[in-house]
Amino acid sequence: MADCQCDDAGGLTLSPRELYDRLTEQGDQVRTLKTAKADKADIDAAIQSLLKFKLDYKRITGQDYKAGCPPSEDAVAHDNGPSEDGADTVDPWNVSTTNAKGVDYDKLIVRFGSSKIDKELVDRLEEVAGQKAHRFLRRGIFFSHRDMNLVLDAYEKNKSFYLYTGRGPSSGAMHVGHLIPFIFTKWLQDVFDIPLVIQLTDDEKYLWKDLTLEECHHYAMENAKDIIACGFDVNKTFIFSDLDYMGSSPEFYRNVVKIQKHVTFNQVKGIFGFTESDCIGKISFPAIQAAPSFSSSFPHIFQGRKDVPCLIPCAIDQDPYFRMTRDVAPRIGYTKPALLHSTFFPALQGAQTKMSASDPNSSIFLTDTPKQIKNKVNKHAFSGGKDTLEEHRKHGGNPDVDVSFMYLTFFLEDDEQLEKIRQDYTSGALLTGELKKLLIDTLQPIITEHQLKRKEVTDDMVKQFMTPRPLNF
């Protein structure tokens, strides 16, 4: 693949930019050895490694290595489009697959050049955190990462880090799929006792949607209430609207400009598929989503420090933004952000697409009543059951494509209960209607509780969360 490099063990480890950085470091090492008049054998070995890296670089990028000329991101443009078999499309605006089970995430890891969250990493995270891993980790809902081991290394050495996640506010009502990164981010904040910044990209929605600036900003404020209702600690959390914060923070804007200077139009065109007919706001926006990855963008939190590592929990479709960010970071003197990627929350109609805020029947909204939840699940949730009761009892259902079971995987805490449901449905002992009822009984109290908590969120509370201020950590 064009976005990764195989090491000697056959593992996918280096992106083109990371390989370029390794080449630059190796070149520096050769020069250092020559200057120090090191043993000829050491110099020759270093030169051989340099030549091998150059060959790998040419093979992967199709470009000759030139010092001071980082690789074009054009080589990874296809990562955001269909896979080789044409089945999956994954980018920040479109997710689709022809597979009823959903996107093939193992293939996506290879295409994007990230690393799989394996049992070893989950075990280590549990050891560092001192508690059982969140169900999203145990069940592979957060399935991929970049540099999570480095974050844990730093934490074990008593070096703090901070969390960054976000929300693009395109409507006043969020759906349950939007809760996933916030549920997990809150767990991370609680476990590691660290600060969190949440970006509301109301500017992005204005550029991409047929909405006014006032509507986008209003939706941001409404979405902030749903986010606050997830239970974040106001003393450790800063929520900001791009339309508000960028105009009041010189440090944030300066980082945006630094990023903009180091990314070419060809690069963003390759990464995001922009065309010459796109407005210039879209072309420059990725730098705004990148800027919160650097601690110096928040002087009120980090007192100007540039070296506080950032961990970004997000859905995998947002990864193109942060591949660009990681590419830019070393060139402007900053630490690359680490990432934890989640799978997609499926639409009620099936895992072929994400849920959409514009289609009320594709989603369970946080504003839905218990009756609406029941009706939506019963009428629209795609079933993995057989056509007749007799067939289902004989052959069983398929939980891998059944949306009700998928939703339970996200929201049912008890692992043993979930596994029993899987076995009973697969054997035919549990009927589709019974499975849907289990989901309804699980979702209704979760949504009701969220609605009660949201009612307690006042405008003053929103203002408190969104006021630039020191955080306690």
Side-chain angles (χ1 to χ4, degrees):
M1 304 298 292
D3 66 331
C4 52
Q5 181 240 342
C6 293
D7 60 18
D8 292 336
L12 296 163
T13 56
L14 300 180
S15 69
R17 177 66 207 198
E18 289 167 333
L19 185 54
Y20 171 86
D21 291 341
R22 183 74 65 84
L23 262 167
T24 302
E25 292 169 4
Q26 191 67 22
D28 291 342
Q29 184 181 355
V30 170
R31 284 188 289 275
T32 299
L33 290 171
K34 287 182 176 179
T35 301
K37 297 183 179 179
D39 290 343
K40 184 175 183 300
D42 291 338
I43 295 174
D44 288 345
I47 291 173
Q48 287 301 314
S49 294
L50 181 65
L51 293 174
K52 180 182 182 301
F53 280 133
K54 285 185 176 181
L55 288 172
D56 287 341
Y57 186 83
K58 177 67 178 285
R59 173 174 57 83
I60 290 165
T61 67
Q63 305 167 14
D64 289 319
Y65 169 76
K66 294 180 182 178
C69 298
S72 166
E73 288 287 352
D74 292 354
V76 298
H78 70 279
D79 287 349
N80 308 328
S83 60
E84 290 178 349
D85 57 10
D88 298 347
T89 297
V90 176
D91 64 37
W93 307 282
N94 303 285
V95 176
S96 63
T97 177
T98 58
N99 189 339
K101 294 181 181 180
V103 170
D104 188 325
Y105 293 105
D106 287 334
K107 287 184 178 178
L108 202 59
I109 287 173
V110 175
R111 287 167 52 202
F112 279 17
S114 58
S115 301
K116 187 178 181 65
I117 295 178
D118 55 18
K119 185 178 184 302
E120 183 180 353
L121 181 60
V122 175
D123 289 346
R124 187 184 175 203
L125 201 151
E126 286 186 334
E127 183 180 350
V128 174
Q131 62 177 268
K132 187 177 181 180
H134 194 277
R135 64 179 183 274
F136 291 172
L137 285 168
R138 303 195 306 265
R139 297 172 187 169
I141 290 169
F142 274 81
F143 70 101
S144 165
H145 76 99
R146 296 188 188 275
D147 289 347
M148 186 61 194
N149 280 313
L150 297 182
V151 171
L152 295 177
D153 288 345
Y155 188 78
E156 285 184 317
K157 296 174 183 176
N158 296 318
K159 295 180 180 178
S160 186
F161 62 97
Y162 74 100
L163 297 165
Y164 157 40
T165 193
R167 162 82 184 120
S170 58
S171 69
M174 291 166 55
H175 58 58
V176 287
H178 293 140
L179 286 180
I180 302 308
F182 296 112
I183 291 171
F184 187 61
T185 300
K186 182 185 182 302
W187 181 80
L188 290 170
Q189 183 186 55
D190 292 344
V191 165
F192 292 103
D193 188 23
I194 47 176
L196 161 67
V197 296
I198 299 175
Q199 181 183 44
L200 302 175
T201 55
D202 38 13
D203 52 345
E204 175 203 15
K205 293 308 173 186
Y206 174 68
L207 295 168
W208 263 268
K209 301 281 187 179
D210 185 20
L211 298 168
T212 66
L213 272 175
E214 292 73 22
E215 286 173 324
C216 293
H217 189 261
H218 172 71
Y219 292 153
M221 299 304 106
E222 291 300 304
N223 287 183
K225 293 179 180 178
D226 275 311
I227 293 167
I228 292 167
C230 292
F232 291 106
D233 185 343
V234 68
N235 296 310
K236 297 183 177 70
T237 306
F238 174 51
I239 303 175
F240 66 98
S241 144
D242 283 345
L243 291 176
D244 290 336
Y245 184 61
M246 201 159 88
S248 63
S249 174
E251 292 83 0
F252 187 93
Y253 182 62
R254 286 173 183 173
N255 277 341
V256 169
V257 173
K258 285 180 184 178
I259 297 162
Q260 288 172 339
K261 183 172 182 177
H262 287 81
V263 182
T264 68
F265 173 64
N266 279 338
Q267 287 175 314
V268 293
K269 184 172 67 173
I271 298 168
F272 300 103
F274 296 143
T275 68
E276 293 180 0
S277 61
D278 280 313
C279 71
I280 60 174
K282 289 184 179 181
I283 296 160
S284 61
F285 172 75
I288 298 173
Q289 184 155 324
S293 306
F294 306 128
S295 57
S296 58
S297 294
F298 306 101
H300 56 279
I301 301 174
F302 302 108
Q303 291 77 49
R305 285 184 59 184
K306 300 179 180 180
D307 60 342
V308 183
C310 176
L311 174 62
I312 306 170
C314 63
I316 188 70
D317 61 335
Q318 297 300 301
D319 187 67
Y321 282 111
F322 301 112
R323 291 208 301 276
M324 183 201 79
T325 307
R326 287 168 55 84
D327 179 85
V328 167
R331 286 184 275 160
I332 58 177
Y334 294 151
T335 303
K336 293 180 180 181
L339 288 99
L340 291 169
H341 300 124
S342 74
T343 59
F344 302 116
F345 197 87
L348 281 169
Q349 287 79 4
Q352 286 89 341
T353 60
K354 291 194 302 182
M355 293 204 297
S356 169
S358 59
D359 180 359
N361 290 325
S362 74
S363 316
I364 303 293
F365 283 90
L366 301 182
T367 52
D368 284 347
T369 64
K371 183 178 179 180
Q372 286 174 315
I373 294 169
K374 180 179 179 180
N375 288 340
K376 284 185 178 183
V377 171
N378 282 331
K379 290 181 180 179
H380 301 291
F382 184 81
S383 168
K386 297 299 186 286
D387 291 337
T388 67
L389 177 62
E390 183 182 1
E391 279 186 283
H392 187 87
R393 290 294 193 197
K394 183 177 181 180
H395 300 292
N398 183 356
D400 292 336
V401 301
D402 192 289
V403 166
S404 294
F405 184 81
M406 292 179 187
Y407 280 25
L408 286 171
T409 302
F410 281 87
F411 288 106
L412 190 64
E413 177 62 35
D414 191 316
D415 291 339
E416 291 183 4
Q417 184 184 0
L418 183 69
E419 180 56 29
K420 186 175 188 309
I421 291 170
R422 172 189 282 278
Q423 292 176 3
D424 288 350
Y425 194 60
T426 302
S427 70
L430 185 70
L431 301 177
T432 295
E434 294 169 332
L435 178 59
K436 288 187 174 186
K437 185 177 187 306
L438 286 170
L439 174 62
I440 293 164
D441 291 343
T442 300
L443 279 181
Q444 284 176 335
I446 291 173
I447 303 301
T448 299
E449 183 182 4
H450 180 87
Q451 291 168 355
L452 292 173
K453 289 181 178 178
R454 192 187 191 280
K455 285 181 180 178
E456 297 173 358
V457 178
T458 64
D459 290 340
D460 285 343
M461 288 175 64
V462 173
K463 184 177 180 181
Q464 188 178 1
F465 271 92
M466 300 187 74
T467 297
R469 67 205 186 283
L471 298 179
N472 299 331
F473 60 96

